[in-house]
Amino acid sequence: MSEPGGLRLIICQVSLLTLSRCAAHCEPALQALRTRDYSANAINIPSIGTDDASRNGNVDVTAIRDAIEAVIKQDKDVILVMHSFGGFTGSRSLVGLEKSLSKSNKNGVVLAVFLSAFLIRHGSNMTAALSDNPPTWIELTGPDVSGEVTSRLNVRNDNIGQGNFCKPNDTAADVLYNDLNELDRKQYSRMLKQQSVAASNLEMLDSCWKSELPKLYIHTTKDLAVPMDLQKTMLEGVQDDSWTVREMDGGHSCFVSKKEETASVMIDVLEELVE
């Protein structure tokens, strides 16, 4: 394929619904990509780790879009990698920045990668998508939950989308890192941060679903956070000829537990597309 130096991978890495791993969570996969001479970096999402409950998904979309545009201005093409919740905001952020649509720039987004990511249909949002099967490893905090700022309630069908922030509960590590050893589970779970609930209530108004941009969905077969059945159902709702599908035998955090394989799958598909 063409020289990797003309391409950059941006990891839009956020976790299911609310919980984020900071950019440091992506480092194992980033290092695996860099050893293959690809420039790769992760984006810190503004709605993550904040005490500002008003930070919604629009703020996240803007941050991701700004990062993409900054790379394009360096005369580089972009692969945008979206993990879990990142599929929601990331799929909106790249609209209009596809290389095939570029008129003023010779560069742009050449591949969108969705790693066990949420694919939200137009007119819906993350809260609605999860209302039938609310994540049991998240708890809500804030005055809208029960009238008291100090309240901490596990997510249920009747309170999802309420409150100010979402935080991990005691079961989060076992769900998110089920294919890591106990020591690594503890290490990465300590990095988990709260996220504003407002980020999940943003309506999906636009996305890359109808774009001819090549898209890769990587299923994670042992995922406890976004189970395979849900992954397949979401993909069926948006899939067309622009999609390539691969599977990995791992849990929700394959960028840590299967870092080399994750890097190889993305690069192999990219090389197939440019042959």
Side-chain angles (χ1 to χ4, degrees):
M1 61 172 292
S2 60
E3 181 184 359
L7 181 74
R8 177 170 294 178
L9 288 91
I10 297 179
I11 312 294
C12 168
Q13 203 287 313
V14 226
S15 78
L16 170 65
L17 180 61
T18 53
L19 302 182
S20 169
R21 298 81 185 274
C22 59
H25 275 81
C26 304
E27 196 57 33
L30 294 177
Q31 289 291 351
L33 289 163
R34 290 167 187 151
T35 60
R36 292 165 168 82
D37 296 325
Y38 285 88
S39 176
N41 62 284
I43 303 170
N44 285 311
I45 304 300
S47 67
I48 305 300
T50 180
D51 292 325
D52 183 357
S54 68
R55 289 194 177 181
N56 59 29
N58 285 322
V59 179
D60 293 344
V61 170
T62 299
I64 299 166
R65 190 174 182 87
D66 287 348
I68 296 172
E69 290 179 328
V71 175
I72 293 174
K73 290 178 180 178
Q74 298 172 23
D75 296 325
K76 294 180 181 291
D77 289 331
V78 175
I79 298 177
L80 183 64
V81 183
M82 293 155 278
H83 173 253
S84 201
F85 178 89
F88 177 42
T89 49
S91 61
R92 290 188 56 177
S93 67
L94 59 80
V95 174
L97 299 179
E98 301 95 321
K99 184 173 183 177
S100 60
L101 299 178
S102 177
K103 295 180 180 179
S104 59
N105 295 296
K106 63 179 180 180
N107 300 99
V109 180
V110 296
L111 177 65
V113 179
F114 298 84
L115 175 60
S116 58
F118 279 91
L119 311 176
I120 306 301
R121 296 188 182 189
H122 293 173
S124 187
N125 58 33
M126 282 293 298
T127 299
L130 288 170
S131 59
D132 290 336
N133 296 287
T136 58
W137 48 274
I138 291 174
E139 61 185 24
L140 300 167
T141 66
D144 293 334
V145 178
S146 65
E148 296 184 13
V149 176
T150 56
S151 62
R152 297 173 68 94
L153 301 175
N154 285 343
V155 175
R156 304 186 308 270
N157 300 74
D158 60 348
N159 67 15
I160 189 169
Q162 298 180 21
N164 289 338
F165 300 101
C166 295
K167 297 182 178 182
N169 62 24
D170 293 339
T171 67
D174 292 335
V175 173
L176 298 173
Y177 310 114
N178 58 306
D179 57 345
L180 293 177
N181 60 49
E182 185 175 354
L183 182 62
D184 287 340
R185 289 187 193 187
K186 291 181 179 179
Q187 174 187 344
Y188 285 100
S189 63
R190 283 195 293 267
M191 299 181 189
L192 292 171
K193 301 178 182 180
Q194 70 178 18
Q195 183 177 17
S196 63
V197 172
S200 298
N201 291 334
L202 179 69
E203 182 180 357
M204 175 66 85
L205 298 177
D206 201 3
S207 70
C208 62
W209 305 150
K210 295 183 179 181
S211 170
E212 295 180 356
L213 173 73
K215 294 176 276 288
L216 166 64
Y217 196 97
I218 303 176
H219 289 299
T220 45
T221 61
K222 295 180 179 178
D223 200 321
L224 300 181
V226 188
M228 274 291 289
D229 287 347
L230 178 56
Q231 294 177 41
K232 290 181 177 180
T233 297
M234 290 189 294
L235 182 57
E236 289 170 358
V238 300
Q239 191 172 10
D240 58 21
D241 292 339
S242 65
W243 288 83
T244 299
V245 182
R246 296 289 187 269
E247 286 190 3
M248 290 179 55
D249 184 29
H252 192 61
S253 302
C254 279
F255 45 87
V256 177
S257 62
K258 304 279 185 177
K259 56 184 180 181
E260 296 292 341
E261 184 179 350
T262 300
S264 295
V265 169
M266 290 189 289
I267 293 173
D268 288 348
V269 170
L270 177 65
E271 290 179 342
E272 291 174 8
L273 292 172
V274 299
E275 284 180 354

